Amino acid sequence: MISLSVNLNKVALLRNSRGAQNPSPHTAGVACLDNGAYGLTLHWRADNRHTRQDDVRALRQLCAARDAEFTLKGDDREELVALAAGLKVTQFTLVPVKPGEITSDHGWDLPRQHDLIAPIVARLKKQGVRTAIFVDANADMMKAAAATGVDRVEIYTEPYASSWGTPRLKDELARLKATAQAAVAAGLG
């Protein structure tokens, strides 16, 4: 079964760019859940350019009241990991961030970054939080991803999206399929 979790970051980004309270991520979240979404997702960045900590708290509360999943995405900063643990979000997706990036543009470098990821995953799992990491489409990396103790992977798909209408499309789709199959074979969602 496929379940839709709607990422509300762009709603928050528009609100912030207007310098007011509209559009409201909370109102958008209610609309999404009222119309069949399984859950809501936010990616809280340190610069607060879209989602802010108060959004995370409000939408976590909304999802808890509606028995919906709440996924929080973000980097390895202590403030964010502590918030995810304290709120007992449904899922925390750990995403690498490099200074100045506009949006996420790469996955974790495994196994090189294992010692950064594994303790965060273990800490959150002790709190009952499902864990995921953001990865590039690389089937050979899925055993290293599983070795971190993570439950799931989220595959970076921009190379596939940018290949649309080009001869690279089939190769990019094949990389995604191979990565997904390797993830499943390694016991990952």
Side-chain angles (χ1 to χ4, degrees):
M1 179 174 120
I2 296 175
S3 302
L4 175 66
S5 182
V6 179
N7 188 320
L8 296 173
N9 282 3
K10 298 307 181 194
V11 174
L13 178 66
L14 182 57
R15 174 206 56 204
N16 293 350
S17 70
R18 291 179 171 176
Q21 296 304 312
N22 286 311
S24 162
H26 187 274
T27 300
V30 168
C32 291
L33 295 175
D34 282 352
N35 287 285
Y38 183 74
L40 303 175
T41 298
L42 291 175
H43 184 154
W44 180 31
R45 291 179 177 272
D47 63 9
N48 290 310
R49 67 175 169 246
H50 37 64
T51 300
R52 301 182 300 227
Q53 188 176 127
D54 58 323
D55 296 322
V56 173
R57 292 181 182 284
L59 291 173
R60 174 61 180 127
Q61 186 175 14
L62 172 64
C63 286
R66 298 286 192 96
D67 197 29
E69 289 206 351
F70 180 71
T71 298
L72 181 59
K73 297 172 69 171
D75 58 28
D76 61 324
R77 69 188 190 276
E78 174 55 29
E79 174 185 32
L80 179 57
V81 174
L83 183 64
L87 294 177
K88 293 189 178 182
V89 299
T90 311
Q91 177 173 300
F92 182 76
T93 302
L94 192 57
V95 181
V97 173
K98 65 182 180 190
E101 72 183 12
I102 301 297
T103 189
S104 301
D105 63 8
H106 65 287
W108 291 101
D109 182 6
L110 292 170
R112 189 180 67 78
Q113 292 179 304
H114 174 93
D115 291 343
L116 173 73
I117 296 167
I120 295 170
V121 167
R123 175 180 172 188
L124 290 170
K125 287 179 84 167
K126 281 183 188 174
Q127 295 296 320
V129 174
R130 187 176 63 224
T131 57
I133 56 173
F134 196 67
V135 297
D136 293 317
N138 180 345
D140 294 337
M141 194 186 305
M142 293 307 98
K143 285 184 181 174
T148 67
V150 75
D151 299 302
R152 295 178 171 186
V153 293
E154 179 180 337
I155 305 170
Y156 176 56
T157 58
E158 176 58 30
Y160 168 73
S162 65
S163 73
W164 194 259
T166 74
R168 291 187 358 258
L169 181 64
K170 286 184 181 178
D171 292 338
E172 291 299 336
L173 181 58
R175 280 190 335 128
L176 289 172
K177 286 177 72 174
T179 301
Q181 290 167 341
V184 170
L188 301 169

